[in-house]
Amino acid sequence: MADGEITLKIDEALAASLKARADATGQSIEAVAVESLDLMFSQDRGFNDSAAHWDEIQRIVDETERDGGIPLEDVERWVASWDTDNELPPPEPRPRTAGR
């Protein structure tokens, strides 16, 4: 294998998808795969695997454990109400209760 060259084994369904995309765009399967991987890794998705990123995550976790937060059920109920005649207001954080 040459430097920078990788051979991947993929399942039949993914191979068929790559082939279909390649056929539809007039590109080689390799070109479609490389373009897809490049796009995936070049876009800033707001995730940065750095100490600062994980410090911020830990700060949010600590704050939520200390002060409480918005229960998932409240968020689900709010989202389910979107685009209905009875849309709910955004849920409010609940204070942390003893023992939780």
Side-chain angles (χ1 to χ4, degrees), residues 28-78:
S28 69
I29 293 172
E30 181 180 63
V32 170
V34 168
E35 182 180 298
S36 298
L37 289 168
D38 184 54
L39 181 63
M40 182 176 77
F41 287 106
S42 67
Q43 289 185 346
D44 179 9
R45 291 181 167 27
F47 176 78
N48 181 355
D49 192 11
S50 67
H53 173 81
W54 291 111
D55 288 347
E56 176 67 6
I57 295 292
Q58 189 61 55
R59 184 195 66 73
I60 292 167
V61 168
D62 292 344
E63 179 182 301
T64 301
E65 287 179 344
R66 182 187 66 243
D67 300 336
I70 301 172
L72 178 60
E73 297 79 23
D74 292 359
V75 174
E76 289 173 334
R77 196 172 17 262
W78 173 55

Side-chain angles (χ1 to χ4, degrees), residues 9-25:
K9 291 186 179 187
I10 59 175
D11 65 35
E12 191 175 325
L14 182 55
S17 294
L18 281 171
K19 183 171 181 353
R21 175 69 56 96
D23 290 346
T25 61

